[in-house]
Amino acid sequence: MASTYSFDIVSEFDRQELVNAVDQVVRDVKSRYDLKDTKTTVELGDDNITISTDSEFTLDTIQTIIREKAAKRNLSQKIFDFDKIEAASGNRIRQEVKLKKGISQEICKQISKLIRDEFKKIQASIQGDAVRVSAKSKDELQAVMTRLKQEDYPVALQFNNYR
């Protein structure tokens, strides 16, 4: 039996689920009566989504559809970072949606400080854009997970490599 147990706190999203959600958005744009003639495009890049459309009203509708489709596929709303709206050629507007992945050093420090302050027997170490948490008891690790779920961080947190 292992002497210590551990898990990693990360901020990731399922890329394939995001691809499927964006595909559904594109299908909705082509089939919805109010969006058919807007010549709206939604393109998924490596770390962003680009929306190009003809009005702010249509852009708001597309944002809502993206959020709904992502929620149905269990993607957190915290992965989306909507940039400001830019003017594009031909009386059109464009918006870039950055996809957040990884935990910043500042948030890693907040998480490890919270763990050190509230759980004396548990070690937390920052490893790049993740936090490794280890303890002698699985119950203590479960308590840490429960406590972190109560906090509202600006990134979506997942717990993996639980062993």
Side-chain angles (χ1 to χ4, degrees):
M1 189 154 174
S3 61
T4 61
Y5 301 98
S6 67
F7 68 90
D8 293 336
I9 303 169
V10 296
S11 179
E12 298 174 343
F13 58 87
D14 187 350
R15 176 79 181 173
Q16 188 57 49
E17 289 296 333
L18 184 66
V19 168
N20 293 342
V22 171
D23 285 347
Q24 284 182 328
V25 170
V26 170
R27 253 184 266 127
D28 271 13
V29 168
K30 289 179 181 173
S31 64
R32 277 181 51 165
Y33 180 75
D34 60 337
L35 299 174
K36 261 187 187 174
D37 297 329
T38 60
K39 295 184 179 84
T40 300
T41 61
V42 180
E43 299 169 357
L44 177 63
D46 289 337
D47 59 350
N48 65 354
I49 300 171
T50 305
I51 305 167
S52 176
T53 188
D54 63 353
S55 68
E56 285 195 37
F57 177 74
T58 309
L59 183 66
D60 289 341
T61 305
I62 299 298
Q63 288 176 356
T64 304
I65 295 171
I66 288 174
R67 289 183 183 278
E68 288 173 358
K69 298 299 181 187
K72 284 182 182 176
R73 297 196 160 271
N74 294 326
L75 294 170
S76 173
Q77 300 297 310
K78 294 179 180 180
I79 67 170
F80 301 118
D81 182 18
F82 291 91
D83 278 356
K84 63 183 187 322
I85 300 169
E86 306 168 348
S89 62
N91 263 353
R92 298 178 62 74
I93 57 174
R94 180 184 313 129
Q95 184 176 39
E96 199 165 295
V97 183
K98 289 191 173 48
L99 303 172
K100 293 192 260 183
K101 195 171 191 175
I103 305 174
S104 69
Q105 287 296 313
E106 180 181 315
I107 296 172
C108 284
K109 289 177 184 176
Q110 290 174 5
I111 291 171
S112 63
K113 182 177 181 340
L114 180 124
I115 292 170
R116 277 196 316 271
D117 292 346
E118 295 189 17
F119 302 95
K120 301 298 181 199
K121 296 180 180 178
I122 297 177
Q123 295 81 38
S125 61
I126 299 172
Q127 297 180 339
D129 59 354
V131 178
R132 166 80 42 99
V133 181
S134 57
K136 292 194 183 294
S137 165
K138 287 183 178 181
D139 294 336
E140 291 171 342
L141 293 180
Q142 293 287 339
V144 170
M145 287 183 196
T146 304
R147 177 65 179 96
L148 289 174
K149 287 177 184 175
Q150 294 170 355
E151 290 292 312
D152 185 30
Y153 292 105
V155 294
L157 298 180
Q158 291 87 30
F159 309 109
N160 63 15
N161 292 338
Y162 186 74
R163 38 185 116 128

